[in-house]
PDB file of all heavy atoms in Angstrom:
ATOM      1  N   GLN A  61     -20.634  87.024  86.380  1.00  0.00           N
ATOM      2  CA  GLN A  61     -19.844  85.955  85.773  1.00  0.00           C
ATOM      3  C   GLN A  61     -20.502  85.475  84.490  1.00  0.00           C
ATOM      4  O   GLN A  61     -21.720  85.372  84.396  1.00  0.00           O
ATOM      5  CB  GLN A  61     -19.702  84.780  86.748  1.00  0.00           C
ATOM      6  CG  GLN A  61     -18.904  85.169  87.972  1.00  0.00           C
ATOM      7  CD  GLN A  61     -18.884  84.067  89.002  1.00  0.00           C
ATOM      8  OE1 GLN A  61     -19.892  83.447  89.273  1.00  0.00           O
ATOM      9  NE2 GLN A  61     -17.718  83.847  89.584  1.00  0.00           N
ATOM     10  N   SER A  62     -19.663  85.185  83.499  1.00  0.00           N
ATOM     11  CA  SER A  62     -20.193  84.605  82.274  1.00  0.00           C
ATOM     12  C   SER A  62     -20.387  83.107  82.496  1.00  0.00           C
ATOM     13  O   SER A  62     -19.962  82.558  83.509  1.00  0.00           O
ATOM     14  CB  SER A  62     -19.250  84.878  81.100  1.00  0.00           C
ATOM     15  OG  SER A  62     -17.971  84.357  81.362  1.00  0.00           O
ATOM     16  N   LEU A  63     -21.031  82.456  81.551  1.00  0.00           N
ATOM     17  CA  LEU A  63     -21.373  81.051  81.691  1.00  0.00           C
ATOM     18  C   LEU A  63     -21.057  80.324  80.397  1.00  0.00           C
ATOM     19  O   LEU A  63     -21.359  80.826  79.308  1.00  0.00           O
ATOM     20  CB  LEU A  63     -22.867  80.925  82.014  1.00  0.00           C
ATOM     21  CG  LEU A  63     -23.415  79.550  82.279  1.00  0.00           C
ATOM     22  CD1 LEU A  63     -22.962  79.055  83.651  1.00  0.00           C
ATOM     23  CD2 LEU A  63     -24.927  79.565  82.217  1.00  0.00           C
ATOM     24  N   THR A  64     -20.427  79.154  80.524  1.00  0.00           N
ATOM     25  CA  THR A  64     -20.186  78.317  79.356  1.00  0.00           C
ATOM     26  C   THR A  64     -20.783  76.937  79.603  1.00  0.00           C
ATOM     27  O   THR A  64     -20.831  76.462  80.733  1.00  0.00           O
ATOM     28  CB  THR A  64     -18.681  78.158  79.045  1.00  0.00           C
ATOM     29  OG1 THR A  64     -18.036  77.502  80.129  1.00  0.00           O
ATOM     30  CG2 THR A  64     -18.024  79.515  78.789  1.00  0.00           C
ATOM     31  N   LEU A  65     -21.235  76.325  78.533  1.00  0.00           N
ATOM     32  CA  LEU A  65     -21.664  74.932  78.553  1.00  0.00           C
ATOM     33  C   LEU A  65     -20.864  74.220  77.480  1.00  0.00           C
ATOM     34  O   LEU A  65     -20.912  74.615  76.306  1.00  0.00           O
ATOM     35  CB  LEU A  65     -23.162  74.788  78.269  1.00  0.00           C
ATOM     36  CG  LEU A  65     -23.654  73.346  78.131  1.00  0.00           C
ATOM     37  CD1 LEU A  65     -23.482  72.570  79.442  1.00  0.00           C
ATOM     38  CD2 LEU A  65     -25.087  73.292  77.655  1.00  0.00           C
ATOM     39  N   ASP A  66     -20.108  73.222  77.895  1.00  0.00           N
ATOM     40  CA  ASP A  66     -19.258  72.461  76.971  1.00  0.00           C
ATOM     41  C   ASP A  66     -18.339  73.404  76.176  1.00  0.00           C
ATOM     42  O   ASP A  66     -18.199  73.279  74.959  1.00  0.00           O
ATOM     43  CB  ASP A  66     -20.105  71.591  76.039  1.00  0.00           C
ATOM     44  CG  ASP A  66     -20.960  70.594  76.803  1.00  0.00           C
ATOM     45  OD1 ASP A  66     -20.561  70.199  77.920  1.00  0.00           O
ATOM     46  OD2 ASP A  66     -22.027  70.217  76.288  1.00  0.00           O
ATOM     47  N   ASN A  67     -17.774  74.362  76.879  1.00  0.00           N
ATOM     48  CA  ASN A  67     -16.826  75.345  76.329  1.00  0.00           C
ATOM     49  C   ASN A  67     -17.436  76.318  75.334  1.00  0.00           C
ATOM     50  O   ASN A  67     -16.721  77.018  74.630  1.00  0.00           O
ATOM     51  CB  ASN A  67     -15.602  74.654  75.720  1.00  0.00           C
ATOM     52  CG  ASN A  67     -14.813  73.907  76.765  1.00  0.00           C
ATOM     53  OD1 ASN A  67     -14.526  74.432  77.832  1.00  0.00           O
ATOM     54  ND2 ASN A  67     -14.483  72.656  76.468  1.00  0.00           N
ATOM     55  N   GLN A  68     -18.759  76.379  75.274  1.00  0.00           N
ATOM     56  CA  GLN A  68     -19.448  77.330  74.408  1.00  0.00           C
ATOM     57  C   GLN A  68     -20.154  78.364  75.275  1.00  0.00           C
ATOM     58  O   GLN A  68     -20.871  78.006  76.207  1.00  0.00           O
ATOM     59  CB  GLN A  68     -20.475  76.619  73.520  1.00  0.00           C
ATOM     60  CG  GLN A  68     -19.888  75.575  72.597  1.00  0.00           C
ATOM     61  CD  GLN A  68     -18.965  76.180  71.568  1.00  0.00           C
ATOM     62  OE1 GLN A  68     -19.294  77.171  70.915  1.00  0.00           O
ATOM     63  NE2 GLN A  68     -17.777  75.601  71.426  1.00  0.00           N
ATOM     64  N   SER A  69     -19.965  79.616  74.955  1.00  0.00           N
ATOM     65  CA  SER A  69     -20.586  80.685  75.722  1.00  0.00           C
ATOM     66  C   SER A  69     -22.100  80.593  75.619  1.00  0.00           C
ATOM     67  O   SER A  69     -22.648  80.287  74.562  1.00  0.00           O
ATOM     68  CB  SER A  69     -20.102  82.040  75.182  1.00  0.00           C
ATOM     69  OG  SER A  69     -20.652  83.080  75.935  1.00  0.00           O
ATOM     70  N   THR A  70     -22.766  80.834  76.736  1.00  0.00           N
ATOM     71  CA  THR A  70     -24.229  80.829  76.771  1.00  0.00           C
ATOM     72  C   THR A  70     -24.693  81.953  77.698  1.00  0.00           C
ATOM     73  O   THR A  70     -23.909  82.464  78.491  1.00  0.00           O
ATOM     74  CB  THR A  70     -24.773  79.455  77.216  1.00  0.00           C
ATOM     75  OG1 THR A  70     -26.184  79.437  77.038  1.00  0.00           O
ATOM     76  CG2 THR A  70     -24.429  79.154  78.655  1.00  0.00           C
ATOM     77  N   VAL A  71     -25.938  82.313  77.569  1.00  0.00           N
ATOM     78  CA  VAL A  71     -26.470  83.410  78.365  1.00  0.00           C
ATOM     79  C   VAL A  71     -27.649  82.904  79.191  1.00  0.00           C
ATOM     80  O   VAL A  71     -28.524  82.207  78.671  1.00  0.00           O
ATOM     81  CB  VAL A  71     -26.935  84.576  77.461  1.00  0.00           C
ATOM     82  CG1 VAL A  71     -27.558  85.679  78.287  1.00  0.00           C
ATOM     83  CG2 VAL A  71     -25.773  85.099  76.632  1.00  0.00           C
ATOM     84  N   MET A  72     -27.635  83.241  80.470  1.00  0.00           N
ATOM     85  CA  MET A  72     -28.733  82.904  81.371  1.00  0.00           C
ATOM     86  C   MET A  72     -28.853  84.033  82.379  1.00  0.00           C
ATOM     87  O   MET A  72     -27.840  84.565  82.821  1.00  0.00           O
ATOM     88  CB  MET A  72     -28.420  81.616  82.140  1.00  0.00           C
ATOM     89  CG  MET A  72     -29.166  80.420  81.679  1.00  0.00           C
ATOM     90  SD  MET A  72     -29.113  79.071  82.865  1.00  0.00           S
ATOM     91  CE  MET A  72     -27.616  78.270  82.400  1.00  0.00           C
ATOM     92  N   ALA A  73     -30.069  84.368  82.748  1.00  0.00           N
ATOM     93  CA  ALA A  73     -30.254  85.309  83.841  1.00  0.00           C
ATOM     94  C   ALA A  73     -29.735  84.642  85.111  1.00  0.00           C
ATOM     95  O   ALA A  73     -30.084  83.501  85.399  1.00  0.00           O
ATOM     96  CB  ALA A  73     -31.726  85.658  84.000  1.00  0.00           C
ATOM     97  N   ALA A  74     -28.864  85.326  85.832  1.00  0.00           N
ATOM     98  CA  ALA A  74     -28.280  84.729  87.035  1.00  0.00           C
ATOM     99  C   ALA A  74     -28.134  85.787  88.121  1.00  0.00           C
ATOM    100  O   ALA A  74     -27.858  86.942  87.847  1.00  0.00           O
ATOM    101  CB  ALA A  74     -26.927  84.112  86.722  1.00  0.00           C
ATOM    102  N   TYR A  75     -28.337  85.335  89.340  1.00  0.00           N
ATOM    103  CA  TYR A  75     -28.160  86.191  90.507  1.00  0.00           C
ATOM    104  C   TYR A  75     -27.129  85.560  91.421  1.00  0.00           C
ATOM    105  O   TYR A  75     -27.085  84.329  91.562  1.00  0.00           O
ATOM    106  CB  TYR A  75     -29.475  86.367  91.274  1.00  0.00           C
ATOM    107  CG  TYR A  75     -30.464  87.220  90.536  1.00  0.00           C
ATOM    108  CD1 TYR A  75     -31.415  86.651  89.700  1.00  0.00           C
ATOM    109  CD2 TYR A  75     -30.440  88.603  90.668  1.00  0.00           C
ATOM    110  CE1 TYR A  75     -32.311  87.432  89.005  1.00  0.00           C
ATOM    111  CE2 TYR A  75     -31.339  89.391  89.975  1.00  0.00           C
ATOM    112  CZ  TYR A  75     -32.265  88.798  89.148  1.00  0.00           C
ATOM    113  OH  TYR A  75     -33.153  89.580  88.456  1.00  0.00           O
ATOM    114  N   ASN A  76     -26.328  86.388  92.033  1.00  0.00           N
ATOM    115  CA  ASN A  76     -25.395  85.929  93.052  1.00  0.00           C
ATOM    116  C   ASN A  76     -26.062  86.209  94.393  1.00  0.00           C
ATOM    117  O   ASN A  76     -26.340  87.360  94.726  1.00  0.00           O
ATOM    118  CB  ASN A  76     -24.062  86.662  92.939  1.00  0.00           C
ATOM    119  CG  ASN A  76     -23.052  86.121  93.912  1.00  0.00           C
ATOM    120  OD1 ASN A  76     -23.225  86.223  95.120  1.00  0.00           O
ATOM    121  ND2 ASN A  76     -21.998  85.536  93.386  1.00  0.00           N
ATOM    122  N   ILE A  77     -26.339  85.151  95.130  1.00  0.00           N
ATOM    123  CA  ILE A  77     -26.983  85.270  96.434  1.00  0.00           C
ATOM    124  C   ILE A  77     -26.053  84.633  97.450  1.00  0.00           C
ATOM    125  O   ILE A  77     -25.768  83.434  97.377  1.00  0.00           O
ATOM    126  CB  ILE A  77     -28.366  84.593  96.464  1.00  0.00           C
ATOM    127  CG1 ILE A  77     -29.276  85.193  95.382  1.00  0.00           C
ATOM    128  CG2 ILE A  77     -29.007  84.725  97.846  1.00  0.00           C
ATOM    129  CD1 ILE A  77     -30.611  84.494  95.230  1.00  0.00           C
ATOM    130  N   ASP A  78     -25.550  85.439  98.356  1.00  0.00           N
ATOM    131  CA  ASP A  78     -24.627  84.972  99.393  1.00  0.00           C
ATOM    132  C   ASP A  78     -23.459  84.178  98.812  1.00  0.00           C
ATOM    133  O   ASP A  78     -23.049  83.160  99.349  1.00  0.00           O
ATOM    134  CB  ASP A  78     -25.356  84.145 100.457  1.00  0.00           C
ATOM    135  CG  ASP A  78     -26.287  84.987 101.317  1.00  0.00           C
ATOM    136  OD1 ASP A  78     -26.051  86.205 101.417  1.00  0.00           O
ATOM    137  OD2 ASP A  78     -27.231  84.431 101.885  1.00  0.00           O
TER     138      ASP A  78
END
Side-chain angles (χ1 to χ4, degrees):
Q61 295 174 317
S62 58
L63 183 74
T64 63
L65 174 64
D66 300 332
N67 296 313
Q68 300 295 312
S69 182
T70 189
V71 177
M72 255 196 273
Y75 289 93
N76 185 296
I77 303 174
D78 291 336

